[in-house]
Amino acid sequence: MTGTPALRLTVTRIRYEAEGVLSLTLADPAGTPLPEWTPGAHLDLRLPSGLTRQYSLCGDPANRHEYRVAVLLAEDSRGGSREIHATVRQGDMLDVAGPRNHFRLVDAPAYLFIAGGIGITPLLPMMRQATAAGTPWSLLYGGRTRPSMAFLDEIGDLSGGKVSLAPQDEAGLPDIGAQLREAPPEAAVYCCGPEGLLRAVRSQCAERPDPPTVHFERFAAADPARAAADQETSAAFEVELRRSGIRLTVQPGTTVLDAVREVLPTAPFSCGEGVCGTCETTVLDGVPDHRDELLTPEEHESGTTMLICVSRCRGPRLVLDL
């Protein structure tokens, strides 16, 4: 998030949606309509501590006066979820950037949604859209326990879909293979959850004779240790920040983001792992060496943007729109 936030919104409501999961409803204090969004979009929230974190929008895209996000109090929290649960209160003001969407719902004749835990949040608006369009859909929703699984009542209120709940303490691990076998062969598959779930879905899909199109959203990089090692062994290259008129050298073991923030401390970033998109930057010249897990293969091929927290350069020089 840059030094000038796109929006400054009021927390109008806080509600526990499940054990360890609370939702924040945000609105413009003057009642101004909020920017439009589509299912799969997320917001960047700048917290009072200065941390920036991403949360999927899980409300109704037709409601232009409210945004809703849900936050799991994660055991391995890097501080964001802990801060929200402990300190954010109704009436507080938060700086917000977005919405941005790297997890768009494509047109399809049917959908299979697979969620693990808090991964239900980006899928909930997708199910609403499919319901409104009359498109067949099914949901496989796994969690530790039933009380830990958010939005069960809202999911139950949706029509036109088949819902399979898989609390682990009651049913064990979700039967992904059975869901894939039951889904229409033309169904688009959307999956959000922990890395283990994503690996299982990918493995099960690969075993099918006609693998479906699968769309993933991650919570974290699949292999952050490998990504760090790749930074250490990569060659140095030059980066020109065109708008700032600055040239700098990115050394092995230093990311583009690290080098940029030495001279532009307000350059936006959050996850540092190539999964959230906050640091996505337009490339004016040069060929990026994409190492993120967010942009599509087509976006990688075009080379017009890059995630500077992990990606590097395939040549001696990059020119960025910074």
Side-chain angles (χ1 to χ4, degrees):
M1 185 175 294
T2 62
T4 304
L7 300 167
R8 186 163 178 78
L9 303 182
T10 303
V11 179
T12 59
R13 184 165 61 251
I14 296 179
R15 169 178 164 169
Y16 273 94
E17 306 292 350
E19 291 179 353
V21 179
L22 60 76
S23 65
L24 305 179
T25 300
L26 305 162
D28 186 278
T32 302
L34 300 172
E36 294 180 343
W37 61 280
T38 54
H42 70 262
L43 296 178
D44 295 346
L45 300 188
R46 185 173 180 86
L47 305 180
S49 66
L51 290 174
T52 298
R53 294 292 182 263
Q54 293 73 42
Y55 298 102
S56 296
L57 284 159
C58 57
D60 181 0
N63 182 352
R64 295 287 307 281
H65 291 277
E66 290 184 338
Y67 288 151
R68 185 180 68 171
V69 299
V71 183
L72 169 69
L73 181 57
E75 294 181 5
D76 57 351
S77 169
R78 294 179 296 147
S81 70
R82 189 180 308 115
E83 180 177 354
I84 288 174
H85 276 251
T87 67
V88 175
R89 298 291 181 263
Q90 185 171 323
D92 287 353
M93 302 288 291
L94 293 178
D95 293 340
V96 174
R100 291 183 293 113
N101 199 340
H102 289 283
F103 192 45
R104 295 183 182 277
L105 186 66
V106 300
D107 290 333
Y111 298 101
L112 169 58
F113 301 110
I114 302 175
I118 197 64
I120 191 64
T121 51
L123 304 184
L124 187 55
M126 296 183 181
M127 290 184 284
R128 287 199 192 95
Q129 180 167 311
T131 297
T135 306
W137 59 271
S138 58
L139 168 69
L140 175 60
Y141 181 12
R144 293 181 295 102
T145 64
R146 195 176 295 265
S148 73
M149 298 167 67
F151 303 116
L152 293 182
D153 289 344
E154 291 187 28
I155 293 168
D157 290 339
L158 295 175
S159 61
K162 177 183 177 183
V163 177
S164 299
L165 302 179
Q168 191 170 348
D169 63 336
E170 299 176 22
L173 295 176
D175 191 344
I176 297 167
Q179 293 291 319
L180 289 169
R181 288 190 294 273
E182 293 176 9
E186 68 276 13
V189 180
Y190 278 77
C191 179
C192 184
E195 185 60 33
L197 176 68
L198 272 58
R199 285 198 302 268
V201 171
R202 184 178 289 108
S203 174
Q204 290 284 347
C205 288
E207 293 176 2
R208 292 171 64 86
D210 186 16
T213 301
V214 186
H215 306 264
F216 293 102
E217 184 162 76
R218 304 190 122 84
F219 296 155
D223 191 351
R226 178 180 176 183
D230 286 346
Q231 296 288 347
E232 291 288 345
T233 57
S234 297
F237 56 94
E238 181 183 274
V239 173
E240 177 187 343
L241 310 181
R242 176 64 54 82
R243 281 189 283 123
S244 304
I246 298 173
R247 285 185 170 85
L248 49 86
T249 300
V250 179
Q251 299 289 352
T254 299
T255 67
V256 177
L257 176 64
D258 290 337
V260 167
R261 285 182 62 85
E262 286 289 326
V263 295
L264 296 178
T266 61
F269 79 104
S270 179
C271 74
E273 297 179 342
V275 297
C276 78
T278 301
C279 69
E280 184 176 0
T281 302
T282 298
V283 178
L284 301 177
D285 195 17
V287 181
D289 178 5
H290 295 288
R291 304 183 182 190
D292 64 276
E293 300 180 49
L294 180 71
L295 301 180
T296 65
E298 293 76 17
E299 289 169 326
H300 284 172
E301 181 67 24
S302 74
T304 56
T305 70
M306 64 184 289
L307 270 59
I308 62 173
C309 66
V310 291
S311 297
R312 297 182 72 83
C313 181
R314 291 192 178 277
R317 183 170 176 269
L318 279 174
V319 181
L320 302 179
D321 186 23
L322 287 171

